[in-house]
Amino acid sequence: GAMPLVTTSSPPIGEPLPSRNPTEEVFAFLESELLEVIDVLPSGRPGANATDAVVINRETARAILATLYLNAEVYTGQARWQDCIDQCDEILAVGDYALAPNYFDLFKVDNIEIASEEMLFVIDFISGVSPGGGVGWPRVSLTNEWVFDRFPNFPYSLFNGPAVQPTFYRRYDDDDLRKTEGFLEGVQTS
């Protein structure tokens, strides 16, 4: 359904919550912003230096556009399949990217050599060095301030991580690698 379209990094505290915009308007805004900058972004894989990798390049913008077009029918009522394919073809035409041989290698702690050709936008998380020290940092840092400034008695932590409904999880066969390798099950402790 409709969603807020916030175009500032920190809306003023004390202001009313943003109104909801039609999904067609949000889609058009995102598409226009990406198309406006795509030709001025650098192209090709970033260097091996971790700070080089945290640069949004043309292919990252194209991947975001491809995702937007893949879901266009949901947001606008009009399918944009060919636009999605065109953006993916542009990424592959650069010649620097390929799918990792094993999907689950993407999620290993030391994955840069294994899966680096598949990664379009990388933020290197090194415990004790990276801000926040872990993979949850971007998600939480982008939401914590906004949520807790506006809702100081918010009773939940934003560190809970992704989860799926049991009915979704049970749809996988017990020997399906997506189930055996792709999910942590039960209580997790550090």
Side-chain angles (χ1 to χ4, degrees), residues 15-47:
E15 292 290 318
L17 293 175
S19 60
R20 294 178 175 265
N21 302 68
T23 55
E24 298 86 357
E25 182 181 331
V26 176
F27 181 97
F29 174 79
L30 293 172
E31 180 184 31
S32 68
E33 290 286 304
L34 289 164
L35 291 173
E36 183 178 322
V37 300
I38 203 161
D39 289 329
V40 297
L41 295 171
S43 182
R45 286 179 39 74

Side-chain angles (χ1 to χ4, degrees), residues 130-144:
S130 301
V135 295
W137 177 77
R139 175 177 53 86
V140 172
S141 67
L142 297 174
T143 56
N144 260 353

Side-chain angles (χ1 to χ4, degrees), residues 69-86:
Y69 293 143
L70 180 67
N71 295 289
E73 193 168 11
V74 173
Y75 299 119
T76 68
Q78 181 180 7
R80 303 273 301 266
W81 310 119
Q82 190 57 52
D83 290 330
C84 175
I85 292 168
D86 292 345

Side-chain angles (χ1 to χ4, degrees), residues 4 59-60 77 134 136 148 154 171:
E59 290 72 42
T60 302
F148 291 113
F154 191 69
R171 287 183 181 172

Side-chain angles (χ1 to χ4, degrees), residues 62-136:
R62 290 192 185 286
I64 296 168
L65 270 172
T67 304
L68 197 62
Y69 293 143
L70 180 67
N71 295 289
E73 193 168 11
V74 173
Y75 299 119
T76 68
Q78 181 180 7
R80 303 273 301 266
W81 310 119
Q82 190 57 52
D83 290 330
C84 175
I85 292 168
D86 292 345
Q87 293 301 322
C88 293
D89 286 346
E90 289 286 342
I91 294 168
L92 294 174
V94 172
D96 288 346
Y97 301 99
L99 295 177
N102 180 346
Y103 170 76
F104 295 105
D105 287 348
L106 295 170
F107 303 97
K108 290 184 176 176
V109 172
D110 187 13
N111 62 8
I112 198 67
E113 295 299 322
I114 299 167
S116 62
E117 288 184 350
E118 184 168 333
M119 296 179 188
L120 292 167
F121 180 66
V122 177
I123 299 176
D124 198 6
F125 291 101
I126 303 168
S127 183
V129 175
S130 301
V135 295

